[in-house]
Structure formats: C-alpha cells, structure tokens
Amino acid sequence: MSSEKKHLLVIGAGASGLPSIRHALLYPNVEVTCFEKSNDIGGLWNYKPHKTDLSTVMKSTVINSSKEMTAFSDFPPEDTMANFMHNREMCRYLKNYAKNFGLLKYIKLNHSVVSIVRNDDYETSGKWKVRYTDGDGKESEKVFDGVMLCSGHHAIPYIPSPWPGQEKFKGKITHSHDYKDQRGYEDKVVVVVGLGNSGGDCAVELSRVSKQVYLVTRRGSWVFNRLFDRGEPVDMVFNSKFQMFLSQTIPAPLVNWNFERLLNLRFDHEKYGLKPKHPALGAHITINDELPNRIACGTVRVKPAIKSFTENSIEFEDGSVVENVDEVLLATGFSFHFNLVEGGNLIKVNENKTDAYKYMFPLATSDHNTLAVIGLIQPIGSIMPISEMQARVYLETFAAGRKLPDKDQMKADVNVKREEMSRRYVESRRHTIQVDYANYMHELGDLIGCNPDMRTLWRQKPFLAWKVYFGPCVPYIFRLNGPNSWEGAENAIWDVSYRAERPTNNKLERRNGELKKQN
C-alpha cells in the first residue's frame, strides 16, 4: 500500500455517501472530502416540505425494511427505535451515525458539483477533475484520485408520454416526487397512476381525506405486508443464509407458488383486482399494510391502464369512465443519468440501462476503476447495507489495491445479469438494476473476502453459526471477518432479537444476549 495520500471525493451525504465517508476513514492512505448539494445531511430521508429537485420522501413515509436489516454494519439501531422507522427516525439514525464516527468535518454543505471530467493525465493516473460551486456560488476546480457518486436515483421524475386528450385536461397532474402530504386533496376525486410503493402509499393516505381515489395499474401487483406470522418483520423471516440456499435449490416456479399462496392467504389478489400475470417474484415487490383494507372500504378503487383524457374525465382500457377528476398523481418512478460525468457522453444510459460491473463500476471507466456509483440498485430488501458494502468493495480496490476482473470479464458479468433479469422480471424500465438483498450482499462480500466463515464458525462457535445461518442476514454478519472486521459484530448479532422486540414490548429485559420478560 502506497504511503502517499489518495484524495477521494464522495458526492452526496445521504444513506450511500455517509458509509462511504466512514469506510474511507478506515484507510490511512485516503483523504476524503464530501460535497453535499443541500444545507443538511440525510439525503432522501431528510424530509423537504418545499418543492425541490432533490430526492425526498413524503411527510408520512416509513421505511419498508426493518431497522435491523437497514442498519449499517457497525452501528446497530437503538433498541427503542421502531422496527419500521418513520422518516424522522431514519434521518436521526443517519445523523447519529455521522456524529458517532466524526463524519461531519469531512462534509462540505451547499457544495454542488458542476462537472466531472478525466484529468489531463487520466490515462496513467486515473484522476478526475471536478468543477463545483460552494455556498457563495463561487466556482472552483480540484483534482481527485477517486470519485464515489452517491447521489441516489430518486431525484429525476419519470413522466410518461402524454395520453390522448391529456392536453385538454383541466385538472392538475403532479408527479409523486412533488407530493408532500394530503393537504389540498380534501374532498377531491384523485387518480393515482402506478402501483409501486409510492403509488400504494399515496393512494392509502389520500383515501382518508379525498372524495374518491382511483388506483391505476396496468399489470397489477403482488402486495407484501411489512409483518409476517406472529408480527415478525417479513424481511427478517425471508432474508437468511438458509432461505438463500433454499431459493437457489428449489425450482423458481415452486418458490413463486409458495409466495403467492402465502400472499393470497392474507387477501385474494384476484378478488381485489390486483392479481398480475407475472409470478410473485417476477417484478419489484409492493409493500403496503393498508391497501387491501382501503379497497375493501371502497375508498380506493382499482382501475386498469388509462386510455384517454377529456377536459374533466378519464377513460380506462376496460371502457369505464371516471367523471369530474380533480387531480392526477403520477407514481411512475424515476430516471437516472450521469450527465455530471463529461456531460453524459462517457457513461451512457438508455431507458435506465447502463453497463456497470456489479452495478457500481462503469465499464467506460474500467481502465482504472477510480470512479464508482454507490447505491444505484433497486433491491428486494434494504438499500443501505448494500450501499455500505459497495463502498467497502470500492475502497478495497482504490485504497488497498485489491484487483478486479478485467474489462472482458466485467462485460460478461453485466451480460449474464441482464439475461437473468430478463428471464425473471417483466420487461420494464424499472427492472434494470434489480438485486436480491442476501444474494447480492454475498456476491459483493466474495469480492473482498468478508462473507461469514461458516466452517470456522460451526467448528468454534456453533451457536453463533446457527444464528448466522438460520437467523436474519443482518449486516453485522459481514463484519465478523475479512477487511476491517468489527469486534462488536458478534454482540450485535446476538442482540438482534432483543432490539427487534424491545420497541413493542417495554417489559423486555436483556441478559447476555438472551431475552427475559418481566412478570
């Protein structure tokens, strides 16, 4: 490892940027700087009540993944934090993380990156020239040895092509990116377009105050609850090394059949007008605890795709018409691009498809791999531990000299992933960066040797091995061994059950990793 300091730029101080800074600090040969465009940290999870081009959540948003599966690998959440935290708590967790590891002094707020170009000596050095503005609007330029793009992919709303007659429509059309809360929608007829997580959340929230909500879905969706049997967080039940083994062993049609059976036990998707043609794991899942109740109450009514608009009405593909529509809310997802990097001419994106090894190393810059995109994935599971693992992979290559495959091998991996995705998922611009949480975490872990050493664990600590293999695939298991292992990982794993139950049971006590209930 060279003794000369490497200058690293992290762009964005959100859920991907913060762990990137934290892990950069573990390498003595790295000097890290973070540019954050806004006046605060937290990124998407820092709720912005005003209209903004930055990523933001709704005022009422809660996380879809449980806190233990969402945590960073060396910072377990407080035991009293809710399993599914409100965005305020999520932002507080991120700020506590930054404070705990002393990250704030490396973050320059109100610093906006204007452009990133290859430096004059890039061919030999792999360096990048970054032009940016500070809080006073002053433009400057600096050269960095490496760049980590951590600005997320929920900032550029995707607006579908206009429907016939849309230009005549007198109502208001808004993208869910600009939706904050239900104020202004009282006693109105609202059409929500799209049954992803945002669309479901908007429809449920508005159904309490609006005159009527219509939820438009072209394909339908399988709807998952946050909780499984006995109130266990669903992601803690189905994300384990054992479940990962089963999913790789049992034929996919049987896995899908079982999921569909379980989901239909909660409510019959066909009866509720939501059953899609694709299997349960053939599209990004929708998580919503209240939607079937709202449909049952009639405050949300499901509609097929829009056919056309008139001045005050909307006709749907089944021939039905809704009159006197006041508001249309487009929950149609987001786009991403890399226009910051040489105007988008270096790393090309087409319909949310781009060539990047492990979704983080663009093939266009694979000659040096000094630029990486962190958090450009759509996981079935939590994104935060994945972003952290991606940061670990990048820093092992950037700072510790760990070798990556050559460009041809990277390209082959990209092609394999694209083929696997096309076989599994419905064709959609949404299904271009899909990953399964546990599988992808282990895939990244293989690159840097931080996956749990199960042979050693079974031999030396069989009870811990049992918990690691059959328990939830929490991020702490990836710090038991490998580069920058964490001495607190074992205790964090033992206390998962306690921290998960404590928010809903204040009579619970902890004793040496065991749970004891008070009488």
Side-chain angles (χ1 to χ4, degrees), residues 36-39 48 50 52-56 154-155 177 180:
E36 166 55 44
K37 188 175 184 179
S38 72
N39 62 358
K48 303 163 189 69
H50 52 276
T52 175
D53 60 351
L54 301 174
S55 57
T56 184
H154 290 100
H177 174 269
K180 305 298 178 181

Side-chain angles (χ1 to χ4, degrees), residues 142-411:
K142 188 172 180 180
V143 174
F144 292 90
D145 295 287
V147 175
M148 300 175 78
L149 298 172
C150 307
S151 47
H153 56 95
H154 290 100
I156 307 170
Y158 170 67
I159 308 295
S161 300
W163 286 275
Q166 182 177 324
E167 73 282 355
K168 303 174 186 175
F169 182 60
K170 292 183 176 180
K172 186 178 178 183
I173 300 177
T174 308
H175 193 276
S176 60
H177 174 269
D178 296 319
Y179 175 82
K180 305 298 178 181
D181 55 39
Q182 77 281 6
R183 287 178 297 177
Y185 291 86
E186 296 90 342
D187 303 317
K188 290 186 176 181
V189 175
V190 182
V191 174
V192 178
V193 182
L195 182 49
N197 290 319
S198 296
D201 288 346
C202 290
V204 165
E205 179 166 285
L206 291 175
S207 70
R208 297 189 179 92
V209 299
S210 299
K211 182 178 180 181
Q212 182 65 57
V213 173
Y214 295 92
L215 181 57
V216 176
T217 171
R218 288 181 301 164
R219 288 190 293 261
S221 180
W222 295 101
V223 180
F224 287 68
N225 200 317
R226 288 180 176 85
L227 300 177
F228 192 61
D229 293 349
R230 302 176 68 230
E232 293 289 328
V234 68
D235 58 352
M236 291 180 67
V237 175
F238 289 107
N239 278 304
S240 69
K241 290 178 72 67
F242 176 63
Q243 289 285 348
M244 187 173 73
F245 164 75
L246 290 180
S247 67
Q248 294 169 347
T249 306
I250 300 173
L254 190 56
V255 173
N256 279 301
W257 172 83
N258 188 51
F259 268 116
E260 291 168 24
R261 180 184 66 84
L262 293 172
L263 294 172
N264 279 324
L265 284 175
R266 179 177 169 234
F267 73 94
D268 188 316
H269 283 60
E270 187 167 8
K271 287 182 179 179
Y272 280 69
L274 295 176
K275 184 179 179 181
K277 293 180 180 179
H278 61 259
L281 299 180
H284 189 73
I285 64 175
T286 299
I287 298 177
N288 198 294
D289 304 315
E290 301 179 70
L291 183 59
N293 294 332
R294 297 285 97 198
I295 294 173
C297 293
T299 53
V300 173
R301 297 191 181 276
V302 180
K303 287 289 185 181
I306 292 174
K307 183 178 180 181
S308 63
F309 283 75
T310 67
E311 288 185 355
N312 300 297
S313 66
I314 296 178
E315 183 181 0
F316 300 92
E317 293 289 354
D318 62 355
S320 63
V321 177
V322 173
E323 303 284 353
N324 302 315
V325 177
D326 299 297
E327 301 267 358
V328 175
L329 196 57
L330 301 176
T332 48
F334 295 86
S335 299
F336 64 85
H337 58 61
F338 300 105
N339 290 352
L340 278 182
V341 185
E342 302 194 358
N345 296 315
L346 181 60
I347 308 171
K348 293 180 168 54
V349 180
N350 179 29
E351 286 294 295
N352 281 1
K353 292 181 182 178
T354 189
D355 292 337
Y357 178 64
K358 305 301 182 189
Y359 306 104
M360 58 178 290
F361 291 106
L363 297 189
T365 61
S366 61
D367 46 355
H368 291 287
N369 293 309
T370 50
L371 181 144
V373 186
I374 307 299
L376 187 66
I377 39 34
Q378 185 82 19
I380 296 181
S382 176
I383 193 172
M384 283 171 48
I386 292 177
S387 292
E388 181 190 27
M389 184 70 90
Q390 288 182 327
R392 294 177 67 188
V393 170
Y394 172 81
L395 286 158
E396 271 295 288
T397 64
F398 176 73
R402 193 178 291 265
K403 297 296 182 184
L404 290 171
D406 61 34
K407 185 173 183 177
D408 289 340
Q409 292 171 309
M410 287 183 171
K411 180 63 176 175

Side-chain angles (χ1 to χ4, degrees), residues 62-75:
V62 298
I63 60 175
N64 286 332
S65 52
S66 64
K67 66 177 182 180
E68 293 298 323
M69 301 299 293
T70 303
F72 294 125
S73 64
D74 54 2
F75 197 67

Side-chain angles (χ1 to χ4, degrees), residues 123-162:
E123 191 172 330
T124 56
S125 70
K127 293 182 179 182
W128 298 89
K129 187 187 299 180
V130 179
R131 185 170 289 276
Y132 62 94
T133 58
D134 60 20
D136 297 323
K138 180 184 175 183
E139 193 168 290
S140 304
E141 194 174 85
K142 188 172 180 180
V143 174
F144 292 90
D145 295 287
V147 175
M148 300 175 78
L149 298 172
C150 307
S151 47
H153 56 95
H154 290 100
I156 307 170
Y158 170 67
I159 308 295
S161 300

